[in-house]
Amino acid sequence: MALFFTKKPRIGDAHYALYAAIVAQSRQPVLYADWGVPDTLTGRFDMVSLHMALVLRRLQAEGAACRDFSQGLFDLFFKDMDRSLREMGVGDVSVPKRIEKMGNLFYGLVDGLGRALEDTGNAKALEEFVLRDVLSDDAAAHAPDLAAYVRRVNDRLADNSTAELMQGNIAWSEAA
């Protein structure tokens, strides 16, 4: 994941379209109302981060062909987080520190997600990931549902063509 925070590619309409689709998918009511994701700023950040990480994993599977596009999508994500913090009244001095913390959380989530998805020998790896990185302890009973959803989304993203993704078009797996 070291390719992020590198040169700044141009952010175009396709980046905005794909980012809007990621945000919309992360706001599905079932995630919060039925599966126990906290409906808080942190919970919503976690859901956008989770969906962003899944899309970036898909794009990174294409290697150098998607590097600049992926970087632009990542930059847009953190540009939006910066804007959101400022709109919430976080002071100019505090924003960079908060963004750095959010970046660290994002990288931790990306790392944990990658390990869980790649640990095919451990059927519970994805459940353990969502329990550790996404759900609160009181929502542990919903870990299998959220883990199954993450797996479905990951599998569905593999079916999306790179060209379509880089045009801002995405087909998601339904949450429920």
Side-chain angles (χ1 to χ4, degrees):
M1 286 299 177
L3 69 105
F4 300 116
F5 290 124
T6 61
K7 71 176 184 161
K8 302 295 180 203
R10 187 179 79 74
I11 296 174
D13 291 343
H15 292 99
Y16 284 99
L18 189 54
Y19 182 67
I22 289 167
V23 171
Q25 186 73 9
S26 73
R27 290 184 175 163
Q28 291 184 86
V30 67
L31 298 170
Y32 305 93
D34 296 344
W35 293 348
V37 174
D39 193 3
T40 62
L41 291 172
T42 300
R44 288 180 179 258
F45 171 76
D46 288 345
M47 284 297 93
V48 173
S49 294
L50 177 64
H51 289 86
M52 176 66 70
L54 287 162
V55 170
L56 289 174
R57 274 181 54 82
R58 168 60 183 86
L59 291 171
Q60 284 182 329
E62 299 299 321
C66 295
R67 188 169 292 134
D68 285 346
F69 186 83
S70 296
Q71 182 65 52
L73 187 61
F74 176 85
D75 292 347
L76 180 57
F77 173 40
F78 276 91
K79 180 179 172 183
D80 186 44
M81 294 302 107
D82 182 285
R83 180 196 53 77
S84 295
L85 289 171
R86 292 176 193 281
E87 283 181 2
M88 290 186 306
V90 175
D92 288 342
V93 174
S94 298
V95 169
K97 292 175 188 167
R98 294 259 184 112
I99 291 293
E100 181 179 0
K101 182 177 180 183
M102 293 168 90
N104 290 336
L105 291 170
F106 178 74
Y107 281 125
L109 186 135
V110 166
D111 183 55
L113 175 64
R115 282 185 280 127
L117 286 170
E118 291 163 13
D119 191 356
T120 56
N122 179 359
K124 297 286 186 185
L126 208 46
E127 286 181 36
E128 292 165 0
F129 161 75
V130 297
L131 276 170
R132 182 182 60 250
D133 290 354
V134 180
L135 294 176
S136 60
D137 291 339
D138 58 337
H142 301 292
D145 296 323
L146 186 56
Y149 166 73
V150 170
R151 176 77 60 203
R152 285 193 310 273
V153 168
N154 187 65
D155 293 347
R156 181 68 177 109
L157 285 172
D159 294 336
N160 280 255
S161 78
T162 304
E164 285 292 311
L165 288 170
M166 291 180 65
Q167 292 173 5
N169 301 318
I170 192 167
W172 294 101
S173 175
E174 294 300 318

